[in-house]
Amino acid sequence: MKKLLKIMCIVMATWISTNLQAEELAADIVYLQTRWAEIKYQLPEKEQEKAFDALVSEAEKLRASHPQEAPYLIWEGIIRSTYAGAKGGLGALDQVKQAKSLFEQSITLAPDAMAGSAYTSLGSLYYQVPGWPLGFGNHKKAEAMLLKGLSYNPEGIDANYFYGDFLLDQKHYQQALQVFEKALAAPPRPGRESADEGRRKEIERGIAAAKKHL
């Protein structure tokens, strides 16, 4: 269950690499992504599960009010995925299954929403969730989704980070290092300073892990 415990402690989420300016997003989406980053990167780990539980409820209500708008589905999925990482254990599987469904619905509605981040988010689930019979993990599907996410946002910090982490997981260390370095060079996202700072720390850890095997 190590991968399930790891989920979205890596996940994202802000799993989202987008070129949209913060002011172009709905105010409630900006709130969700800002609150997500505060919990993930600023709260002590022991306080995160309860905080994410509350944020899941808020995200679910917002999504119910905007059922045909992909960003609301994506952000509820991201928050549920990160909540699963904070929660851990078999009880987290229900959260990642709901997240998977939300990402799939988002792709059906608008595959290019938020720079294709639903593909990146779904791909990260596929390589971190256990496979059958416990979960739906599948490395081939993971790579396909991650590459699709990169096709929408080839320079994005999250799209490159998660593909690099997948390559690290698959022991492709040299390729992982190259992708991590590209992620580290990604342009900053206005309004996402906290998320960018936290993600860069994760990238640096990934680079160090890859170099240990080279």
Side-chain angles (χ1 to χ4, degrees), residues 155-177:
E155 306 302 321
I157 188 170
D158 290 328
N160 280 287
Y161 167 71
F162 283 106
Y163 186 47
D165 192 62
F166 168 76
L167 292 169
L168 182 65
D169 181 74
Q170 298 299 294
K171 298 180 172 58
H172 300 314
Y173 301 118
Q174 185 62 53
Q175 192 178 357
L177 180 59

Side-chain angles (χ1 to χ4, degrees), residues 35-152:
R35 181 59 180 152
W36 176 89
E38 289 173 350
I39 297 170
K40 176 171 169 55
Y41 294 120
Q42 297 177 20
L43 279 187
E45 286 189 13
K46 63 182 181 181
E47 298 177 20
Q48 290 185 11
E49 181 180 351
K50 183 177 179 180
F52 276 125
D53 186 17
L55 192 59
V56 163
S57 297
E58 293 184 78
E60 185 175 22
K61 290 176 183 177
L62 288 171
R63 186 260 306 163
S65 299
H66 304 82
Q68 299 301 309
E69 296 183 40
Y72 292 90
L73 279 74
I74 293 170
W75 266 104
E76 184 185 340
I78 288 170
I79 293 164
R80 285 189 182 278
S81 298
T82 319
Y83 174 43
K87 188 179 181 65
L90 290 174
L93 278 172
D94 181 61
Q95 294 298 324
V96 293
K97 288 177 180 177
Q98 290 185 66
K100 175 177 179 287
S101 177
L102 288 162
F103 296 140
E104 290 170 341
Q105 291 175 55
S106 172
I107 289 170
T108 299
L109 284 172
D112 61 343
M114 302 192 81
S117 63
Y119 286 107
T120 298
S121 300
L122 185 56
S124 67
L125 287 181
Y126 271 125
Y127 79 85
Q128 295 183 84
V129 171
W132 189 88
L134 287 177
F136 54 83
N138 183 305
H139 288 168
K140 288 184 178 180
K141 289 183 178 180
E143 185 167 28
M145 293 293 103
L146 292 167
L147 289 173
K148 187 70 172 179
L150 273 168
S151 74
Y152 282 99

